Amino acid sequence: MSEFINNNNARIESLLQLCRNLIQGALNTELIQQHQDAIDHLTPNDIVQVVHRLVEDNIPMKDLKSGINKFLNICFKTIRSQAKIEVKPNHFLGVLMAENRELEKRLAAMKPIAKSINLIKEESDLRKELRILKSKIEDLGAFEKHYSRKENIFFPYFEREFPEFKCLGVMWSIHDDIRKTQKILLDSLEAKKVDVKEINHMLGDLFFSMYAIIFREEYLLFPVAINAVSAELWEEMNHQSDELGYSYIPKPVYSAKNASNRKKAFSFEGDNLDPQQLGDTLLNFDTGLMTLDQAMILLNHLPVDITMIDENDRVRFFSKPKDRFFTRSKAIIGRSVQNCHPPESVHVVEDLLKAFRNCEKDSESFWIQMKGRFILIQYFALRDEAGAYKGCIEVSQDVTEIRELKGEKRLMD
Amino acid sequence: MSEFINNNNARIESLLQLCRNLIQGALNTELIQQHQDAIDHLTPNDIVQVVHRLVEDNIPMKDLKSGINKFLNICFKTIRSQAKIEVKPNHFLGVLMAENRELEKRLAAMKPIAKSINLIKEESDLRKELRILKSKIEDLGAFEKHYSRKENIFFPYFEREFPEFKCLGVMWSIHDDIRKTQKILLDSLEAKKVDVKEINHMLGDLFFSMYAIIFREEYLLFPVAINAVSAELWEEMNHQSDELGYSYIPKPVYSAKNASNRKKAFSFEGDNLDPQQLGDTLLNFDTGLMTLDQAMILLNHLPVDITMIDENDRVRFFSKPKDRFFTRSKAIIGRSVQNCHPPESVHVVEDLLKAFRNCEKDSESFWIQMKGRFILIQYFALRDEAGAYKGCIEVSQDVTEIRELKGEKRLMD
């Protein structure tokens, strides 16, 4: 029997070496044969570990993703022979898998259309077919909620429970690829001159990435996660899910919330007082006296969305206004802000925090235009009265209407 | 001896009747003779009481002010014969009086200029003189800090300590008249065609109002206040003054802050925890865990200025960002929001709060242009999860730069 069957470390090292070679461009029978034993005996955990190590190598994300594609292609048969997890339909992962089944139906239904556009000669027939294609791609956009629940709820929990979690960054990057490709495809389909070849090419990329995510979820990530995360945490994740919504499936029915679990999601040590315990006790804010309840209501009625991190870069708080523009879920409380961003943009976050720490900057603003809205996203360094760095806040605001105000409207005219 | 010497109530009733007649347009020797005894024996307290009662009559402010002018004119000699208060130069009222002395010098120096512009025939000489006049009026604008310390610090304390405080509304209205007249005067002096007669008329109004305020402060309001407000509260007011600044005089030297008095300014009943007592205790904001210190730093670093009132219309809290646009001082904590506005605009506030209470509105926006800045002032009803009214917040924001943003600036380009 192979030395690799019961030697996880040796197997992981072998697979890691294989991957590093693949990333450097090597791909030949000899290389694969060298690592065949490890490939034959690999487990989902091995792959999660290997990708974690590769991310820590700081390989450019593009090369990393392409290397991993080759690697998983080589290992496809072994992986495919593993059992999927078995969970109840209303388990957090069961819900994600039910969405995958729906997505597969939609992807399958699109394939004939993708093929047919190559064959249609008549311009008006082509236009008609492209309109159908466009509506199908728009329908794929609804799968965003699946990705969003993963990124905002599942990733933070997995990170906390599983130290070698960095494969999540690669997955996040593929989610972002999918989003980008969908957007470019829709733009291309609306263009005056349609490049069918280009559209076919992008459709190929889109299909590849969306199928890849389903495969990696169900054969790799979920089997590892189901053992790493406790039953009560899966419950907690469920109770944060409704707010973000579901893709293609009706709202699942979950078991009733267990009040005693309420605070599990938060991971700060120390005494902890909630509004029930404090009741009418007034908190002295120096320029005012509010109960904790009042302070919460105030924060959640502001016309800006707030997320706060402390001086250790960990998320402390986010506000929960009625129409939050950027999704936040309780799972991020206590999370390192570095993990809250796709790997490609982490360096921007790091640079900004460094400038805040060094007092080179006190604030930084970004603005984007999305779905017809003008969104301002500002970051402010927090400093105490002595000037010590105390963290930072992200403040985002839909300023579309503010930019359109004319003249004056006074209290007294 | 007159029945009025020791009968405050009878005297006040007599003076009140006189005033009501004056407001209705009566003014003749007989009327004055009827009330001469009361006039001869009046005290500052009587007048404060009478004006309080008149304000409660809901007489239109314009008629009320003009009636009070006539009344004080009739009583001038008696009032003038009263002793002014004697306080140390660094007493809150002593500082206000020192500013009055400086203001008197400036007003006196302006009189010859005001006269001379009537006599100058040569256009270029007139222009020169008007430029001097303009700079003098701009200099009078510096007296704003005197009015601001009264409105934001003194008025709230006096209100709380003296039940018949409503004369303050009349005084506030005259402050506003002064502000308006100064603004119109400056605009007129910048106009292409200068109407000297009109300018003289407005200067007359301005002088009258500014002298009237000095007189009413020193002969009426301050003598009543000095007996109504305790020594330690005057100290507290001093310690809130530096932030608002002084007019024409150097920053006074106050005695050291008495830490045990710190919370006197706040007038909410109940247990009270401050950041020192809470230390590292985490407050559970449902979507986050922060210490009270962190929550305070967060609120004070937001790019908006917040003032919050509770469901009983009392000010609970205001935020204290570095560059607050609208002055707030701790003295307003616990104050009725109705008292935080000049009488003329209270009905707008009342109407808005009514609409919030009735759920007719959830928010209301105003915007003004001031000193080259575009200021947005928004009001939001606060409601708990069950929808019950919990007060409202005022959120103001300098949106000048936001309105000028172009294109996009993304985290990742």
Side-chain angles (χ1 to χ4, degrees):
Chain A
M1 291 236 290
S2 156
E3 57 169 322
F4 287 116
I5 295 181
N6 291 313
N7 190 336
N8 296 350
N9 285 345
R11 215 167 50 226
I12 290 170
E13 291 305 325
S14 171
L15 294 170
L16 188 59
Q17 204 193 318
L18 168 60
C19 280
R20 285 180 178 145
N21 280 315
L22 289 171
I23 289 166
Q24 273 156 26
L27 179 52
N28 54 57
T29 325
E30 200 188 342
L31 175 69
I32 295 174
Q33 276 171 353
Q34 264 176 33
H35 300 282
Q36 193 63 52
D37 251 10
I39 295 170
D40 289 343
H41 297 98
L42 62 73
T43 66
N45 182 63
D46 296 349
I47 297 189
V48 169
Q49 300 281 352
V50 165
V51 177
H52 178 81
R53 299 272 293 277
L54 291 172
V55 172
E56 292 200 323
D57 284 351
N58 280 320
I59 299 158
M61 183 54 76
K62 196 162 171 283
D63 301 339
L64 180 59
K65 283 189 287 194
S66 134
I68 291 171
N69 288 347
K70 289 180 205 158
F71 171 59
L72 293 180
N73 200 29
I74 293 166
C75 307
F76 181 77
K77 260 165 91 181
T78 323
I79 298 172
R80 189 66 200 248
S81 69
Q82 312 265 339
K84 287 193 193 179
I85 59 166
E86 282 181 33
V87 290
K88 288 190 184 158
N90 67 351
H91 186 281
F92 186 85
L93 297 179
V95 176
L96 288 173
M97 294 201 294
E99 290 176 326
N100 283 343
R101 298 295 80 74
E102 291 298 318
L103 174 62
E104 284 167 346
K105 285 185 210 162
R106 283 160 179 79
L107 290 173
M110 282 175 74
K111 278 183 192 165
I113 306 171
K115 270 190 191 160
S116 75
I117 57 170
N118 296 308
L119 308 171
I120 297 173
K121 294 275 173 280
E122 190 65 46
E123 172 76 12
S124 68
D125 291 346
L126 178 63
R127 283 282 167 192
K128 202 176 145 194
E129 200 69 2
L130 290 175
R131 272 198 298 278
I132 297 172
L133 182 62
K134 185 165 167 269
S135 76
K136 300 276 182 196
I137 294 169
E138 282 165 346
D139 187 40
L140 291 186
F143 207 62
E144 172 58 25
K145 289 177 179 171
H146 177 101
Y147 298 142
S148 173
R149 288 208 318 288
K150 280 170 67 187
E151 293 166 3
N152 290 291
I153 304 176
F154 173 64
F155 285 10
Y157 277 87
F158 186 70
E159 256 165 53
R160 218 176 304 149
E161 303 299 316
F162 197 81
E164 297 85 9
F165 61 83
K166 294 197 177 169
C167 67
L168 299 181
V170 181
M171 198 169 242
W172 196 337
S173 176
I174 302 174
H175 293 172
D176 279 351
D177 290 342
I178 292 169
R179 292 171 174 125
K180 264 178 247 164
T181 310
Q182 284 177 353
K183 191 176 179 310
I184 299 173
L185 258 171
L186 288 175
D187 288 347
S188 306
L189 287 166
E190 276 165 10
K192 276 199 179 149
K193 206 179 142 23
V194 174
D195 181 341
V196 172
K197 209 176 141 195
E198 181 59 22
I199 285 174
N200 249 292
H201 182 72
M202 284 189 287
L203 274 177
D205 285 351
L206 183 63
F207 278 44
F208 178 84
S209 297
M210 293 192 93
Y211 276 118
I213 291 288
I214 297 176
F215 181 79
R216 294 174 194 194
E217 282 177 8
E218 301 196 4
Y219 283 98
L220 302 172
L221 185 58
F222 294 176
V224 173
I226 195 76
N227 292 316
V229 176
S230 71
E232 64 182 358
L233 292 181
W234 291 117
E235 285 278 311
E236 262 189 47
M237 289 189 234
N238 277 349
H239 293 303
Q240 295 176 28
S241 294
D242 282 355
E243 204 165 330
L244 272 59
Y246 305 91
S247 305
Y248 311 134
I249 60 166
K251 194 168 107 48
V253 178
Y254 299 126
S255 57
K257 215 178 230 174
N258 186 343
S260 72
N261 284 347
R262 243 172 66 92
K263 276 168 275 170
K264 286 272 160 46
F266 301 153
S267 63
F268 290 98
E269 295 287 320
D271 290 341
N272 180 322
L273 291 171
D274 65 27
Q276 285 72 40
Q277 291 164 289
L278 282 165
D280 291 335
T281 304
L282 295 168
L283 302 173
N284 191 331
F285 282 83
D286 188 43
T287 48
L289 289 165
M290 293 187 281
T291 65
L292 179 53
D293 246 334
Q294 286 177 319
M296 280 168 61
I297 293 180
L298 184 161
L299 284 162
N300 292 331
H301 281 75
L302 288 172
V304 296
D305 300 352
I306 306 164
T307 307
M308 180 211 177
I309 62 168
D310 64 19
E311 64 271 38
N312 303 314
D313 301 347
R314 292 174 73 195
V315 178
R316 279 272 166 185
F317 169 80
F318 62 91
S319 66
K320 208 179 159 184
K322 222 170 35 196
D323 310 299
R324 219 184 198 289
F325 204 84
F326 298 108
T327 308
R328 295 283 180 268
S329 101
K330 285 188 195 176
I332 64 165
I333 306 297
R335 194 180 188 196
S336 269
V337 72
Q338 286 82 357
N339 294 336
C340 297
H341 290 260
E344 286 97 329
S345 63
V346 165
H347 68 280
V348 188
V349 177
E350 293 277 15
D351 290 349
L352 183 58
L353 292 178
K354 201 176 148 198
F356 281 172
R357 279 207 165 76
N358 297 347
C359 296
E360 284 161 31
K361 283 184 185 172
D362 279 321
S363 69
E364 183 74 284
S365 298
F366 301 93
W367 51 97
I368 59 176
Q369 299 185 40
M370 251 176 99
K371 303 173 196 163
R373 313 298 301 170
F374 196 106
I375 309 296
L376 176 66
I377 306 149
Q378 294 178 289
Y379 297 88
F380 299 92
L382 301 177
R383 306 193 197 282
D384 66 13
E385 284 183 19
Y389 179 71
K390 287 292 172 184
C392 102
I393 44 175
E394 177 191 76
V395 180
S396 44
Q397 186 176 15
D398 183 339
V399 295
T400 317
E401 279 79 21
I402 292 177
R403 291 167 54 85
E404 286 162 4
L405 296 175
K406 301 269 178 274
E408 293 197 320
K409 182 183 167 199
R410 292 179 163 269
L411 195 65
M412 292 283 289
D413 271 323
Chain B
M1 290 235 291
S2 156
E3 57 169 322
F4 287 116
I5 294 181
N6 291 313
N7 190 337
N8 296 350
N9 285 346
R11 215 167 50 226
I12 290 170
E13 291 305 325
S14 171
L15 295 170
L16 188 59
Q17 204 193 318
L18 168 60
C19 279
R20 285 180 178 146
N21 280 315
L22 289 171
I23 290 166
Q24 273 156 27
L27 179 51
N28 54 57
T29 325
E30 200 189 342
L31 175 69
I32 295 174
Q33 275 171 353
Q34 265 176 31
H35 300 282
Q36 193 63 52
D37 251 10
I39 295 168
D40 289 344
H41 297 97
L42 62 73
T43 67
N45 182 63
D46 296 349
I47 297 190
V48 168
Q49 301 280 353
V50 164
V51 177
H52 178 81
R53 299 272 294 276
L54 291 172
V55 172
E56 293 200 322
D57 284 351
N58 281 320
I59 299 158
M61 184 54 75
K62 196 163 170 285
D63 302 338
L64 180 60
K65 284 189 286 193
S66 134
I68 291 170
N69 288 347
K70 288 179 205 158
F71 171 59
L72 293 181
N73 199 30
I74 292 166
C75 308
F76 180 76
K77 260 166 91 182
T78 323
I79 298 171
R80 189 67 199 246
S81 69
Q82 313 264 339
K84 287 193 193 178
I85 59 165
E86 282 181 33
V87 290
K88 288 191 184 156
N90 68 350
H91 186 281
F92 186 85
L93 297 179
V95 176
L96 288 172
M97 295 201 295
E99 290 176 325
N100 282 343
R101 298 295 80 75
E102 290 298 319
L103 175 61
E104 284 167 347
K105 284 184 210 163
R106 283 161 178 79
L107 291 173
M110 282 175 74
K111 278 183 191 164
I113 306 171
K115 269 190 190 160
S116 76
I117 57 169
N118 296 308
L119 309 170
I120 297 173
K121 295 275 173 278
E122 190 65 46
E123 172 75 12
S124 68
D125 290 347
L126 178 63
R127 282 282 167 193
K128 202 176 145 194
E129 200 69 3
L130 290 175
R131 272 198 297 279
I132 297 172
L133 182 62
K134 185 165 167 269
S135 76
K136 299 277 181 195
I137 294 169
E138 282 165 347
D139 187 39
L140 291 186
F143 206 63
E144 172 59 24
K145 289 177 179 171
H146 177 101
Y147 298 142
S148 172
R149 288 209 318 288
K150 279 170 67 187
E151 293 166 3
N152 290 292
I153 304 176
F154 173 64
F155 285 9
Y157 277 88
F158 186 69
E159 257 165 52
R160 217 177 302 150
E161 302 299 317
F162 196 81
E164 296 85 8
F165 61 83
K166 294 197 177 169
C167 67
L168 299 181
V170 181
M171 198 169 242
W172 196 336
S173 176
I174 302 173
H175 293 172
D176 279 352
D177 290 342
I178 292 169
R179 291 171 173 125
K180 264 179 246 164
T181 310
Q182 285 177 353
K183 191 175 179 310
I184 299 173
L185 259 170
L186 288 174
D187 288 348
S188 306
L189 287 166
E190 276 165 11
K192 276 201 179 147
K193 206 180 140 24
V194 174
D195 181 340
V196 172
K197 209 176 140 196
E198 182 58 22
I199 286 174
N200 249 291
H201 182 73
M202 285 188 287
L203 274 177
D205 285 351
L206 182 63
F207 278 44
F208 178 84
S209 297
M210 293 192 93
Y211 277 118
I213 291 288
I214 298 176
F215 181 79
R216 294 174 193 194
E217 282 178 9
E218 301 197 4
Y219 283 99
L220 302 172
L221 185 58
F222 294 176
V224 172
I226 195 76
N227 292 316
V229 176
S230 72
E232 65 182 357
L233 292 181
W234 291 116
E235 287 277 311
E236 262 190 46
M237 289 189 233
N238 277 349
H239 292 303
Q240 295 176 27
S241 294
D242 282 355
E243 205 166 330
L244 272 59
Y246 305 91
S247 305
Y248 311 134
I249 60 165
K251 193 168 107 49
V253 178
Y254 299 126
S255 57
K257 215 178 227 173
N258 185 342
S260 72
N261 285 346
R262 244 173 65 91
K263 277 169 272 169
K264 286 273 160 46
F266 301 153
S267 63
F268 290 99
E269 296 287 320
D271 290 341
N272 180 322
L273 291 170
D274 65 27
Q276 285 72 40
Q277 291 164 289
L278 282 165
D280 290 335
T281 304
L282 295 168
L283 302 173
N284 190 331
F285 282 83
D286 188 44
T287 47
L289 288 166
M290 292 187 280
T291 65
L292 179 53
D293 245 333
Q294 285 177 319
M296 280 168 61
I297 293 180
L298 184 161
L299 284 163
N300 292 331
H301 281 75
L302 288 172
V304 296
D305 300 352
I306 306 164
T307 307
M308 180 211 178
I309 62 167
D310 64 18
E311 63 271 38
N312 303 313
D313 301 348
R314 292 174 73 195
V315 179
R316 278 273 165 184
F317 169 80
F318 62 91
S319 67
K320 208 178 158 184
K322 223 170 34 196
D323 310 299
R324 219 184 198 290
F325 204 83
F326 298 108
T327 308
R328 295 283 180 268
S329 101
K330 285 188 195 176
I332 64 165
I333 306 297
R335 195 180 188 195
S336 268
V337 72
Q338 286 81 357
N339 294 335
C340 297
H341 289 260
E344 286 96 329
S345 63
V346 165
H347 68 280
V348 188
V349 177
E350 293 277 16
D351 290 349
L352 183 58
L353 292 178
K354 201 176 148 197
F356 281 172
R357 278 207 165 78
N358 297 347
C359 296
E360 284 161 30
K361 283 184 185 173
D362 279 321
S363 68
E364 182 75 284
S365 298
F366 301 93
W367 51 96
I368 59 175
Q369 299 185 38
M370 251 176 98
K371 303 173 196 164
R373 312 299 300 170
F374 197 105
I375 309 296
L376 176 66
I377 306 149
Q378 294 179 287
Y379 297 88
F380 299 92
L382 301 177
R383 306 193 197 283
D384 66 14
E385 284 182 19
Y389 179 71
K390 286 292 173 185
C392 101
I393 43 175
E394 177 191 76
V395 180
S396 43
Q397 185 176 15
D398 183 339
V399 295
T400 317
E401 279 79 20
I402 292 177
R403 291 166 54 85
E404 286 162 4
L405 295 175
K406 301 269 178 275
E408 293 197 320
K409 183 184 167 198
R410 292 179 162 268
L411 195 64
M412 292 284 289
D413 272 323

